[in-house]
Each structure stands twice: as structure tokens, then as C-alpha cells.
Amino acid sequence: MSSRRIGIRKPSRRIECAGVVAIGLFSSGCLGPVVKNGPLAERDVHAGYRFDTLEPGPDNTDDTFICLCFSGGGTRAAALSFGVLQALRDTPIPPSANGRPARRLLDEVDIISSVSGGSFTSMSYGLDRDAVFDGRFEREFLKQNIQNQLIFMLLRPKNLLLLPYVMLDRIDLAADYYDKAVFDHRTFRDLLDRGDRPYLVINATNMALGERFEFTQDEFDLLGSDLATLPVGHAVAASSAFPLLFSPLRLKYYPGAAADSAIDAALTDPNPRAQQGRRYKWASNLTPQVDTAGEQPTHTLDADNHQYLYLLDGGLTDNLGVTYVIDELRSGRIRDMIDVGGIKKLVVIIVDANTNAPAPIEHQAGAPGLFLMAEKTGTTSMYNYSKAMTNVLRFMLCEFPERLREMDDRCRASMNRQCPGAVPPDPPAALGVRTYVVEVSLHEIADPKTRRRFLAMPTSLFLFPSDVDALIDMARTLLAQSGDFQRLLRDLGGP
């Protein structure tokens, strides 16, 4: 019986072709899970993008160790971070008495830990170094309407045809755009091939565990994956994948010897602090719980239950990027370098683009609307956590060493009274380190009117060029006004 006889119209040839295209794409894997990270052939803790595989650089000295923390906040955060980089570039360090030549404060930067909007600036500087100041980064990102570009990509005919699938994985559109338009298709291999510091830590959030995730080879070992294969644009996309606006970025687990070795190393680390840490928790979740009847358990990747890792905005777990520095101070490389006397001056510069301005609602009798309540629900704890982490860092670097120094002085005085002539032990190495915590925050703007103007700038991927320029200039001003920054310059013999 023909379709005409029962009143059913045949689909048009255009619809038939569209269906064939969609089915063909789906069956060929184009609409399947998109992953950009490749497998790791063999785990080697002395290779890959790790802090220890990078050289300090010709003008970098370990005794002045600088960590930069770039916060989230869209283009606002990227511009504020860029202004700080400019200021460090323009801050000279004069020749020292021990023969060190003149250099710039920017040359002494060892680590940049970044989140969301700040990750665009950190990655661009990590790849291009001084070339980032030639105007291209401002022209092609800071003063570009990235939001409109992403919307136009979503509304392209080929994407509209596949809209249900595109909406589910819309982060891939953003990642591909960043990969092409901002970072020129470069991967972490390009970053590794530079071979010197600063060491970049791009932070995201492990959606399954609700824990911080960093784009380093140490983390990718647990995936059984080679970070060098990943486009840097995808790491930045994951770091800025704000929930609901973007879908989570997907990475693939690769079962095998590399992943099993990393899992076993994490779970058998004898350091008590490591056993309480984030990586231990992640590794514990990856291996099946098998009763070995008293035998030593084998730690292998549970490939059936762990095939893909999903990543969201790093601001969900730390919107300042300071947690990485805190972890390294507690039981990581920074702590090791302090213990052997390698660091004499430890500087942490926190670039905080958070606004969190008070909501103007206390003059009205009506309850606040749903959108405002949703915004406060999603951001209040994030801002409070960020402030708490800054206080923790300040305590670790400033208050605790002072208390330790007082205890050491009392101990020595007591020893002199009770055991005259006894040789006291050497003081802890941490007491020989001068520390500086520099905060560059929009909340520190002195003039109330100016402060309100900057706090009113939206968290988005588009700002007017005049606002971008104002943020860059304000970053330089706030950095110069910091008491700890001025103290650092005096201690370095600078202006």
C-alpha cells in the first residue's frame, strides 16, 4: 500500500538527507564521546610536564621563589592578571653583591596556579612569554567578544542540525574555539618543550569527587594518559566550564601499566600527609575493593567503572588558585626546597578578581527574585572559601613562622639557663625564609566610587576595551600599593 493512500506524506529529500547525515555522524563516532587526551605508554616520574622536569631559567634564582595565583572571573580576571604580569615585567631587580646580574621580577616567577578566566592569561604567558605583551593577546582575547563568538558557533547550521548532541557537549565547541582562535592549536607538548619555568598549574574540578584537579602529568598518570597530547585550549576550557552554561569536559581513562603504577604509588605512599590528601582519595576511588584474604592488595584501575573523567570550573573548589600552593607548602616541592635551604624569599602574589558586591536588596519589602537567589546560592560559599584559603595561606607563611620563632627563642633561652655551654640545635630551615603575601584585589581600591565601578564589571567573556585597559592599569596600581610588595622590593634592593 502506498503512503499516499493512507494519508502519510513522504519526508522531503532535504529532511531525508539531514537524517542520513545525522545517522552517519552518529554511527561513525562523530557524536560519540569526544576525548582529546591520548594514552601514556609508560609512566616515568622524571619525564612529562612536572615541576621537577623544568629548569629554573637563565635569570631565575631559587632563593627568590615567586608563586602567582590567578583567580576566576572571566575577562575581568584575565585582564587583572595581565596587568600584574606587565607590572612584574617592568619591575627591575638590580645587580646583587654576590655577582648576580640585573634582571626583572617577572624572571623570578616559578609557579602560576590559575583558575577559570585567569587560566587564559597564565597559559598565554606560559606559551608565549614576552611575546604575550606584543598586543596579540589583548587584541584576540581580552578585547574580543568571546561570548558572541561562542553563540555564533552554536547557531551555525551544522550545529543546529545536531543541536541535541551539541547542547550535551557544548564545552567541546568552546574548547575547539579556544584551541583555534586563542592558542593556535598548541598542546602541552609545546609547553613542555620550552623546558623552563614558570610551571603552570591549570585548575579544574573533578565532578565525580568534588575535588580539585590540575592539568599536570602527575594527575594524568592516574588517568594512564599523556598530558603532552592534550590541546591547551581544552585545559583552559575545563578550568572555565561554569556549570549549566557549559557542560563538563571529558577526559578518558586508559587502563594499563601506567595507570596501575600511579595508583599503586599513591596508595602506598608512606607519608601520613599524602594518605590524607586529594590524590590518595582519588586513587582509592579508582581501584576495585577486592578482599585478598590478608595478602598485599593489587592496585589496578577499575576500568569497568572508570572510563571517563568529567571536569567543571576550577572555581567550584578554589576560585583563587591558592590551594595548590598550600598543598605544596604542606608536603610538596616548596616544602622540600625550604627544608634544604634552597628558598630564601618566598613570595605569593594573589590576583583576586572576585567581586561579590553586596546585593542592593535591603531597602525593599519584597523577597529577592529567583535569579538573585540562585546567584547567591552558587557563589557565596565559593567567595567565602576563597577568603578562608587566603587566611590559611597567610597563617602558614606569616603567623605560624613567627610563633615558631618565638618557641625557638624560648627553647634556646631555657637551654642556656639549664645547660650552660650546650650547643643548641640548628633552627628550623623555615625560620630562615622571608615571606611575602601580596594581594591584588578589587576590594582594596581605596576610592569608594572607583571601587563600585570595578566591582560592577560583569563576570563574562566580554568587556568593553576601555574597561579592559582600566583593569590592567588598576592591577599595576594595586600591586605597587601593596605593603608586602614594597617590602619585597626593598629587600631585593630595588626602587
Side-chain angles (χ1 to χ4, degrees):
M1 181 182 295
S2 71
S3 60
R4 183 178 301 275
R5 291 184 182 178
I6 59 175
I8 300 177
R9 297 181 59 189
K10 288 186 176 180
S12 68
R13 183 165 298 277
R14 180 176 300 177
I15 296 176
E16 285 180 339
C17 291
V20 169
V21 171
I23 293 172
L25 288 172
F26 185 79
S27 62
S28 66
C30 292
L31 295 179
V34 176
V35 292
K36 294 289 185 176
N37 63 308
L40 181 64
E42 182 182 6
R43 178 172 177 260
D44 182 356
V45 296
H46 302 294
Y49 193 68
R50 311 174 200 266
F51 179 83
D52 293 335
T53 62
L54 302 181
E55 296 295 329
D59 297 318
N60 184 291
T61 61
D62 278 341
D63 59 359
T64 298
F65 197 92
I66 300 179
C67 303
L68 304 182
C69 300
F70 291 169
S71 81
T75 301
R76 185 183 65 245
L80 202 68
S81 302
F82 188 69
V84 167
L85 289 179
Q86 279 190 352
L88 297 178
R89 175 201 61 184
D90 298 335
T91 304
I93 302 176
S96 59
N98 60 5
R100 283 205 187 104
R103 57 201 187 280
R104 309 170 306 174
L105 202 54
L106 184 59
D107 298 324
E108 289 284 9
V109 173
D110 296 276
I111 292 173
I112 306 179
S113 173
S114 63
V115 183
S116 197
S119 293
F120 288 95
T121 304
S122 67
M123 183 57 73
S124 295
Y125 175 69
L127 288 166
D128 297 325
R129 304 300 166 90
D130 277 16
V132 79
F133 303 118
D134 65 6
R136 179 178 177 271
F137 179 63
E138 294 175 77
R139 183 174 60 254
E140 298 189 2
F141 179 76
L142 290 179
K143 297 180 180 179
Q144 184 70 241
N145 193 335
I146 302 297
Q147 286 190 171
N148 277 356
Q149 297 293 337
L150 296 177
I151 292 172
F152 290 153
M153 288 182 64
L154 182 64
L155 297 180
R156 286 177 180 172
K158 66 176 183 179
N159 290 330
L160 286 176
L161 174 66
L162 309 172
L163 190 58
Y165 305 103
V166 170
M167 289 301 293
L168 287 175
D169 281 334
R170 56 197 179 278
I171 188 63
D172 295 325
L173 285 179
D176 288 341
Y177 175 79
Y178 303 152
D179 180 35
K180 176 182 178 181
V182 183
F183 299 112
D184 295 330
H185 299 291
R186 285 175 287 183
T187 67
F188 276 87
R189 170 63 62 189
D190 296 278
L191 202 59
L192 179 60
D193 286 345
R194 292 202 64 95
D196 58 359
R197 303 178 195 164
Y199 179 55
L200 301 189
V201 181
I202 305 296
N203 295 279
T205 297
N206 182 328
M207 189 175 177
L209 296 178
E211 295 276 359
R212 185 175 64 86
F213 176 88
E214 60 195 46
F215 282 85
T216 64
Q217 189 56 56
D218 290 323
E219 301 278 275
F220 269 60
D221 283 350
L222 289 168
L223 289 163
S225 178
D226 185 1
L227 175 62
T229 64
L230 185 76
V232 297
H234 286 247
V236 174
S239 183
S240 55
F242 194 79
L244 301 182
L245 292 179
F246 293 103
S247 57
L249 186 88
R250 180 190 296 107
L251 296 177
K252 182 174 176 56
Y253 285 99
Y254 290 95
D260 294 346
S261 172
I263 293 171
D264 184 72
L267 295 180
T268 57
D269 191 326
N271 188 338
R273 288 184 175 178
Q275 295 172 12
Q276 300 171 2
R278 171 184 57 86
R279 198 166 290 156
Y280 181 90
K281 178 181 176 181
W282 183 18
S284 299
N285 185 62
L286 293 179
T287 188
Q289 304 300 314
V290 179
D291 185 3
T292 56
E295 298 179 5
Q296 184 69 22
T298 56
H299 301 131
T300 59
L301 176 65
D302 182 0
D304 291 334
N305 293 310
H306 299 281
Q307 299 183 39
Y308 300 100
L309 177 72
Y310 291 94
L311 301 172
L312 284 171
D313 193 308
L316 298 177
T317 46
D318 172 16
N319 201 42
L320 290 180
V322 300
T323 305
Y324 172 81
V325 178
I326 291 173
D327 289 346
E328 293 301 304
L329 270 169
R330 290 182 68 246
S331 58
R333 296 163 183 83
I334 298 178
R335 169 54 54 192
D336 293 340
M337 294 175 70
I338 289 175
D339 289 343
V340 299
I343 296 177
K344 303 302 182 185
K345 296 181 180 66
L346 178 57
V347 187
V348 181
I349 301 177
I350 304 171
V351 184
D352 182 2
N354 292 327
T355 52
N356 196 27
I361 59 175
E362 296 183 346
H363 66 285
Q364 61 189 37
L370 290 176
F371 288 109
L372 180 58
M373 287 193 291
E375 177 195 355
K376 288 297 180 181
T377 300
T379 60
T380 298
S381 59
M382 180 172 68
Y383 291 137
N384 289 339
Y385 180 80
S386 297
K387 187 61 179 177
M389 288 297 98
T390 302
N391 291 338
V392 168
L393 181 65
R394 189 172 289 279
F395 174 81
M396 294 176 68
L397 289 183
C398 304
E399 297 179 31
F400 179 72
E402 188 61 33
R403 296 184 185 184
L404 190 62
R405 191 171 289 109
E406 293 174 359
M407 294 170 59
D408 185 65
D409 290 342
R410 288 198 300 268
C411 179
R412 290 172 184 276
S414 176
M415 180 178 294
N416 287 334
R417 287 193 305 269
Q418 300 182 28
C419 304
V423 179
D426 292 333
L431 296 186
V433 179
R434 297 183 66 84
T435 58
Y436 313 81
V437 179
V438 180
E439 291 188 65
V440 177
S441 170
L442 297 177
H443 291 275
E444 299 299 319
I445 299 174
D447 179 63
K449 183 178 180 181
T450 305
R451 184 170 62 248
R452 285 194 296 269
R453 176 202 166 191
F454 280 90
L455 292 179
M457 291 183 182
T459 301
S460 66
L461 288 176
F462 170 68
L463 291 176
F464 292 109
S466 59
D467 287 340
V468 170
D469 291 334
L471 282 161
I472 294 173
D473 290 340
M474 181 54 68
R476 299 171 65 97
T477 299
L478 291 171
L479 182 65
Q481 291 175 351
S482 166
D484 265 25
F485 188 70
Q486 294 173 8
R487 180 166 61 90
L488 171 65
L489 295 183
R490 289 195 298 269
D491 290 348
L492 289 171

